[in-house]
Amino acid sequence: MSLSDKAKLQFMKDLGFPALASLQKAMRGKRAPRKANPDFGPPLKCTARLKEIMTRHYYLARFAPGAKPVAWVTSGAPVELLRALDFYTIYPENHGALCGAQKMGPELCQVAEDEGYSADLCSYARVDLGHMLSGKTPAGKLPKPDLLFCSNNICQTVAYWYKVMAHRLGVPLVMFDTPFNYTEISQDDIDYMVGQVKDMIPVLEKAAGKAFDMERFIQVAELSRAASELWGQCLETMKARPAPMTIFDAFVHLAPVVSLRGLPVAREYYEILLAELLDRARSGIGAITNEKKRLMWDNIAIWYKVRDFSELFASRGMNFVAATYTNAWAETIQHLDMSQPLESLAKTYSLVILNNNLEHRLNLMAKMVSEYAVDGLVVHSARSCKPYSLGQYDLKRLLSERLGIPAVVIEADITDYRYFSEEQALTRLEAFFEALEAA
Amino acid sequence: MSYYAGIDVGSLSSDAVIVDAAGGIKGWAVTETGAHSTNAASAALDKALERAGLRPDQVAYTVATGYGRAAVPQAGKKVTEITCHALGAYTLFPEVGTVVDIGGQDSKVIRLGENGKVVDFVMNDKCAAGTGRFLEVMAAKLGVTLDDLGRLSLGAEGEVAISSVCTVFAESEVVSLVAKNQPIPQIIKGLHRAVVNRVAAMTGTTGVREQVIMSGGVAKNAGVVKLMAERLGVEISVPDEPQIVGALGAALLAAREDAV
């Protein structure tokens, strides 16, 4: 790490970005405001702050190399280990969602496919490979990593995707292997995971150029826990009728807990978001103006359709008040216990929804249906995400049978809209609306 | 006396049904959709009116359904084919528990509750296998008409297995089977089996409750209906005009809509 690079990053952080942000704000002020859609309540005030945080994160990333060690990390990896060593982290999945929302998925996927990667691979992986091969990104420029860090608690694809990147970029890969939880987690599983953490620390230290400090780690883990708990409380405000935000909002406000958790900014952000949501709930301000039915979403967002879907559902008086996806970053945080830092870290990260059995998922969904007073279930069968999409038809059938709620499956993809058929999806959704309205 | 129209604009055919206030069918028509769905909807409606001996201004309300439902200017309301097929089938067969509809470009299984309400439904995914289009493509390749497929397959001695589930690859598979002098009726039976397996798999997620009704253009193919009944292990009833079930449901909804 060089002193001049460190000074440059600090300068951009303190002066460069704030100047840029105020310039952008001034430019925005000149544009005519978008016409308000009467189906929606007043927009969340926090959104401006969220945009600033995420823009700043991606903007400063380009000044990180040389000033800080840089790591590319999977969404479910125990990033607290890296934060304790002051890594600047980039989340290819978050970047993939960004590319998806900007409708760049097919273009970047095609780059990866032209290089020989299968079109059946996860589109986050293809977008990431496509970005690596072409340099194309809506985020300006992503810094080259010094280290890759992945955990297979979300899928096995990441293990191979990150191996390909490690090979092509010539940087070390650290993988955290989490045994799948078939019934319950055993002490052997925990010992195995703790052993891995102990083994990886020297590798992380080498890439970071500094020593791992347990006290610093515990501070970071506390910050992480605070952000996740606050995020969970934000989601819980949606139990209110009308719900103060929609899951489509939550898909966006999820970004800090995914990619900035363990940093003070994530905790601070969720403090202000929670305060705003509680205030809205108390004042009866709904995300949509006419909340007739309350829905639950399963699986990752369809990033290029978030806006269209949010308008479609709002126009029918339907609000998504819960999702297994957004819940995933709050679901297991209660396991984190600083009296047993590494053991509890292993538990927190290995018991996430995608590394847990279907019975668990069924019970979780049933619980959410009752706690959030859900009237219907929309299941996104995502072509990219095999672990998330496996078992969905059974889950849907069992939930319909047990709870008597209508459910619909729509087939799509998270970013690659070549796998989305608008007319077919809309017909399914319309039929679902008709069934809900008749119920 | 007021009359009500239902128009079902599908990918291959556009169908119209006229009912009176009591729900009795006064006229119906099945026409080809072609390239212009608005024209097709009008043509189907005109033909159904003509058969009913009615003028357009005697229709009090119209409901449109099917993939082309957005392009029906006459319609006061657009309703999906799921709701329309369920209501049409329930009206024709009050005991119906499951509707298996195989249309031109999509196939669907609808499970109904006691009172004709939709309990669950599944539609085919982004693939033409298991639809009328699959059989249409194959009939053309074999040089037989769509109407002959059923009769020919029922007379088949044996069956040739079709391994490809993709319409495009199954087409080349058929070409190679013909080149190997496999008897046409046996190939057709194999093709029917492929469609039936594909659609029957969808009943796995909805479950099957008797009575089972088949609708859509493919229900006119006795060979497919027979194989489907064997595959599901149930008896299958087919309406006299299986292609107008959706339009009938739409017409009945139009009558209800007007009553409101």
Side-chain angles (χ1 to χ4, degrees), chain B residues 212-245:
Chain B
V212 179
I213 306 301
M214 264 186 80
S215 64
V218 175
K220 286 159 81 175
N221 180 325
V224 172
V225 175
K226 182 164 180 276
L227 286 180
M228 184 68 79
E230 286 171 14
R231 174 72 157 72
L232 299 181
V234 296
E235 274 188 34
I236 290 181
S237 309
V238 179
D240 294 338
E241 292 300 334
Q243 281 174 285
I244 63 167
V245 176

Short mmCIF file of all heavy atoms in Angstrom, two decimals, chain B residues 212-245:
data_model
loop_
_atom_site.label_atom_id
_atom_site.label_comp_id
_atom_site.label_asym_id
_atom_site.label_seq_id
_atom_site.Cartn_x
_atom_site.Cartn_y
_atom_site.Cartn_z
N VAL B 212 -62.29 -34.93 -15.38
CA VAL B 212 -61.26 -34.25 -16.16
C VAL B 212 -61.81 -33.91 -17.55
O VAL B 212 -62.37 -34.76 -18.23
CB VAL B 212 -60.00 -35.13 -16.28
CG1 VAL B 212 -58.94 -34.44 -17.12
CG2 VAL B 212 -59.45 -35.48 -14.90
N ILE B 213 -61.66 -32.65 -17.91
CA ILE B 213 -62.14 -32.16 -19.21
C ILE B 213 -60.94 -31.77 -20.06
O ILE B 213 -60.00 -31.17 -19.55
CB ILE B 213 -62.99 -30.87 -19.00
CG1 ILE B 213 -64.11 -31.10 -18.00
CG2 ILE B 213 -63.53 -30.34 -20.33
CD1 ILE B 213 -65.03 -32.18 -18.38
N MET B 214 -60.98 -32.11 -21.34
CA MET B 214 -59.94 -31.58 -22.23
C MET B 214 -60.56 -30.56 -23.16
O MET B 214 -61.64 -30.78 -23.71
CB MET B 214 -59.29 -32.70 -23.04
CG MET B 214 -58.00 -33.20 -22.40
SD MET B 214 -57.12 -34.38 -23.40
CE MET B 214 -56.30 -33.30 -24.57
N SER B 215 -59.87 -29.44 -23.34
CA SER B 215 -60.37 -28.42 -24.27
C SER B 215 -59.23 -27.95 -25.15
O SER B 215 -58.11 -28.43 -25.04
CB SER B 215 -60.98 -27.26 -23.47
OG SER B 215 -59.99 -26.64 -22.70
N GLY B 216 -59.54 -26.98 -26.01
CA GLY B 216 -58.53 -26.50 -26.95
C GLY B 216 -58.56 -27.32 -28.23
O GLY B 216 -59.16 -28.41 -28.27
N GLY B 217 -57.93 -26.81 -29.25
CA GLY B 217 -57.96 -27.48 -30.56
C GLY B 217 -57.47 -28.91 -30.51
O GLY B 217 -58.00 -29.79 -31.21
N VAL B 218 -56.47 -29.18 -29.68
CA VAL B 218 -55.87 -30.52 -29.64
C VAL B 218 -56.85 -31.56 -29.05
O VAL B 218 -56.73 -32.75 -29.32
CB VAL B 218 -54.51 -30.48 -28.89
CG1 VAL B 218 -53.92 -31.87 -28.72
CG2 VAL B 218 -53.53 -29.59 -29.63
N ALA B 219 -57.85 -31.08 -28.29
CA ALA B 219 -58.85 -32.02 -27.74
C ALA B 219 -59.68 -32.67 -28.84
O ALA B 219 -60.37 -33.67 -28.61
CB ALA B 219 -59.74 -31.29 -26.74
N LYS B 220 -59.63 -32.10 -30.05
CA LYS B 220 -60.34 -32.72 -31.17
C LYS B 220 -59.59 -33.94 -31.70
O LYS B 220 -60.11 -34.69 -32.52
CB LYS B 220 -60.52 -31.69 -32.30
CG LYS B 220 -61.57 -30.65 -31.96
CD LYS B 220 -61.42 -29.38 -32.76
CE LYS B 220 -62.02 -29.50 -34.17
NZ LYS B 220 -61.93 -28.17 -34.83
N ASN B 221 -58.37 -34.11 -31.24
CA ASN B 221 -57.53 -35.23 -31.68
C ASN B 221 -57.78 -36.41 -30.74
O ASN B 221 -57.30 -36.44 -29.60
CB ASN B 221 -56.06 -34.77 -31.65
CG ASN B 221 -55.11 -35.85 -32.08
OD1 ASN B 221 -55.32 -37.03 -31.82
ND2 ASN B 221 -54.03 -35.45 -32.74
N ALA B 222 -58.55 -37.39 -31.22
CA ALA B 222 -58.95 -38.53 -30.36
C ALA B 222 -57.74 -39.34 -29.91
O ALA B 222 -57.75 -39.94 -28.83
CB ALA B 222 -59.94 -39.41 -31.11
N GLY B 223 -56.69 -39.34 -30.71
CA GLY B 223 -55.49 -40.08 -30.34
C GLY B 223 -54.83 -39.49 -29.10
O GLY B 223 -54.43 -40.21 -28.18
N VAL B 224 -54.75 -38.17 -29.05
CA VAL B 224 -54.14 -37.50 -27.88
C VAL B 224 -55.01 -37.71 -26.65
O VAL B 224 -54.51 -38.01 -25.56
CB VAL B 224 -53.93 -35.99 -28.16
CG1 VAL B 224 -53.49 -35.26 -26.89
CG2 VAL B 224 -52.90 -35.78 -29.26
N VAL B 225 -56.33 -37.58 -26.84
CA VAL B 225 -57.25 -37.71 -25.69
C VAL B 225 -57.13 -39.12 -25.08
O VAL B 225 -57.06 -39.28 -23.85
CB VAL B 225 -58.71 -37.42 -26.12
CG1 VAL B 225 -59.66 -37.67 -24.96
CG2 VAL B 225 -58.83 -35.97 -26.60
N LYS B 226 -57.05 -40.12 -25.96
CA LYS B 226 -56.96 -41.51 -25.48
C LYS B 226 -55.67 -41.72 -24.67
O LYS B 226 -55.69 -42.28 -23.57
CB LYS B 226 -57.01 -42.47 -26.68
CG LYS B 226 -56.99 -43.94 -26.31
CD LYS B 226 -57.44 -44.79 -27.50
CE LYS B 226 -57.42 -46.28 -27.14
NZ LYS B 226 -56.08 -46.86 -27.30
N LEU B 227 -54.55 -41.23 -25.23
CA LEU B 227 -53.26 -41.40 -24.53
C LEU B 227 -53.26 -40.62 -23.21
O LEU B 227 -52.71 -41.09 -22.21
CB LEU B 227 -52.10 -40.92 -25.40
CG LEU B 227 -51.71 -41.81 -26.58
CD1 LEU B 227 -50.54 -41.17 -27.33
CD2 LEU B 227 -51.32 -43.20 -26.12
N MET B 228 -53.87 -39.45 -23.22
CA MET B 228 -53.91 -38.63 -21.99
C MET B 228 -54.71 -39.36 -20.90
O MET B 228 -54.30 -39.38 -19.73
CB MET B 228 -54.53 -37.26 -22.30
CG MET B 228 -54.52 -36.29 -21.12
SD MET B 228 -52.87 -35.73 -20.65
CE MET B 228 -52.61 -34.48 -21.92
N ALA B 229 -55.83 -39.95 -21.31
CA ALA B 229 -56.67 -40.67 -20.34
C ALA B 229 -55.88 -41.84 -19.74
O ALA B 229 -55.92 -42.08 -18.52
CB ALA B 229 -57.94 -41.16 -21.00
N GLU B 230 -55.14 -42.54 -20.60
CA GLU B 230 -54.32 -43.67 -20.10
C GLU B 230 -53.24 -43.15 -19.15
O GLU B 230 -53.01 -43.71 -18.09
CB GLU B 230 -53.64 -44.37 -21.28
CG GLU B 230 -54.60 -45.22 -22.10
CD GLU B 230 -53.94 -45.72 -23.39
OE1 GLU B 230 -52.68 -45.64 -23.51
OE2 GLU B 230 -54.68 -46.16 -24.27
N ARG B 231 -52.60 -42.08 -19.55
CA ARG B 231 -51.48 -41.55 -18.77
C ARG B 231 -51.93 -41.06 -17.39
O ARG B 231 -51.27 -41.29 -16.39
CB ARG B 231 -50.83 -40.40 -19.56
CG ARG B 231 -49.74 -39.63 -18.84
CD ARG B 231 -48.45 -40.46 -18.70
NE ARG B 231 -47.29 -39.62 -18.52
CZ ARG B 231 -46.99 -38.94 -17.41
NH1 ARG B 231 -47.78 -39.02 -16.39
NH2 ARG B 231 -45.91 -38.19 -17.35
N LEU B 232 -53.10 -40.40 -17.36
CA LEU B 232 -53.59 -39.87 -16.08
C LEU B 232 -54.39 -40.90 -15.30
O LEU B 232 -54.69 -40.71 -14.12
CB LEU B 232 -54.44 -38.61 -16.30
CG LEU B 232 -53.74 -37.42 -16.96
CD1 LEU B 232 -54.71 -36.24 -17.09
CD2 LEU B 232 -52.51 -36.97 -16.16
N GLY B 233 -54.77 -42.00 -15.98
CA GLY B 233 -55.56 -43.04 -15.32
C GLY B 233 -56.95 -42.57 -14.96
O GLY B 233 -57.51 -42.97 -13.93
N VAL B 234 -57.51 -41.71 -15.80
CA VAL B 234 -58.88 -41.23 -15.56
C VAL B 234 -59.65 -41.23 -16.88
O VAL B 234 -59.05 -41.36 -17.95
CB VAL B 234 -58.89 -39.77 -15.02
CG1 VAL B 234 -58.22 -39.67 -13.66
CG2 VAL B 234 -58.22 -38.82 -16.02
N GLU B 235 -60.96 -41.11 -16.77
CA GLU B 235 -61.74 -40.89 -18.00
C GLU B 235 -61.70 -39.41 -18.31
O GLU B 235 -61.69 -38.58 -17.41
CB GLU B 235 -63.19 -41.32 -17.77
CG GLU B 235 -63.39 -42.79 -18.03
CD GLU B 235 -64.86 -43.17 -18.00
OE1 GLU B 235 -65.69 -42.35 -18.42
OE2 GLU B 235 -65.14 -44.27 -17.53
N ILE B 236 -61.69 -39.11 -19.60
CA ILE B 236 -61.64 -37.70 -19.99
C ILE B 236 -62.86 -37.35 -20.83
O ILE B 236 -63.21 -38.08 -21.76
CB ILE B 236 -60.33 -37.40 -20.76
CG1 ILE B 236 -59.14 -37.48 -19.80
CG2 ILE B 236 -60.39 -36.02 -21.43
CD1 ILE B 236 -57.80 -37.19 -20.42
N SER B 237 -63.52 -36.27 -20.48
CA SER B 237 -64.66 -35.81 -21.26
C SER B 237 -64.21 -34.65 -22.15
O SER B 237 -63.39 -33.82 -21.72
CB SER B 237 -65.77 -35.33 -20.35
OG SER B 237 -66.05 -36.31 -19.38
N VAL B 238 -64.76 -34.64 -23.36
CA VAL B 238 -64.42 -33.57 -24.29
C VAL B 238 -65.72 -32.89 -24.73
O VAL B 238 -66.66 -33.56 -25.13
CB VAL B 238 -63.68 -34.14 -25.53
CG1 VAL B 238 -63.35 -33.02 -26.52
CG2 VAL B 238 -62.40 -34.85 -25.10
N PRO B 239 -65.79 -31.58 -24.62
CA PRO B 239 -67.00 -30.88 -25.09
C PRO B 239 -67.19 -31.07 -26.60
O PRO B 239 -66.20 -31.36 -27.31
CB PRO B 239 -66.72 -29.40 -24.78
CG PRO B 239 -65.44 -29.35 -24.04
CD PRO B 239 -64.75 -30.66 -24.16
N ASP B 240 -68.40 -30.88 -27.09
CA ASP B 240 -68.65 -31.04 -28.53
C ASP B 240 -67.78 -30.09 -29.34
O ASP B 240 -67.29 -30.44 -30.40
CB ASP B 240 -70.13 -30.73 -28.83
CG ASP B 240 -71.03 -31.77 -28.19
OD1 ASP B 240 -70.52 -32.89 -27.91
OD2 ASP B 240 -72.22 -31.47 -27.93
N GLU B 241 -67.61 -28.88 -28.81
CA GLU B 241 -66.76 -27.90 -29.50
C GLU B 241 -65.64 -27.48 -28.55
O GLU B 241 -65.72 -26.44 -27.90
CB GLU B 241 -67.59 -26.68 -29.94
CG GLU B 241 -68.61 -26.98 -31.02
CD GLU B 241 -67.96 -27.50 -32.29
OE1 GLU B 241 -66.77 -27.20 -32.54
OE2 GLU B 241 -68.66 -28.22 -33.04
N PRO B 242 -64.58 -28.23 -28.46
CA PRO B 242 -63.56 -27.94 -27.44
C PRO B 242 -62.84 -26.61 -27.63
O PRO B 242 -62.26 -26.08 -26.69
CB PRO B 242 -62.57 -29.11 -27.59
CG PRO B 242 -62.83 -29.71 -28.91
CD PRO B 242 -64.27 -29.45 -29.23
N GLN B 243 -62.91 -26.04 -28.84
CA GLN B 243 -62.18 -24.80 -29.09
C GLN B 243 -62.89 -23.56 -28.55
O GLN B 243 -62.28 -22.50 -28.49
CB GLN B 243 -61.93 -24.61 -30.59
CG GLN B 243 -60.77 -25.45 -31.08
CD GLN B 243 -60.64 -25.37 -32.59
OE1 GLN B 243 -61.44 -25.97 -33.32
NE2 GLN B 243 -59.66 -24.63 -33.05
N ILE B 244 -64.17 -23.70 -28.19
CA ILE B 244 -64.89 -22.48 -27.79
C ILE B 244 -65.11 -22.37 -26.28
O ILE B 244 -65.84 -21.50 -25.82
CB ILE B 244 -66.24 -22.34 -28.53
CG1 ILE B 244 -67.17 -23.49 -28.17
CG2 ILE B 244 -66.01 -22.24 -30.04
CD1 ILE B 244 -68.62 -23.25 -28.61
N VAL B 245 -64.45 -23.23 -25.51
CA VAL B 245 -64.67 -23.21 -24.06
C VAL B 245 -64.25 -21.86 -23.45
O VAL B 245 -64.96 -21.29 -22.62
CB VAL B 245 -63.89 -24.37 -23.38
CG1 VAL B 245 -64.03 -24.30 -21.86
CG2 VAL B 245 -64.41 -25.71 -23.89
#
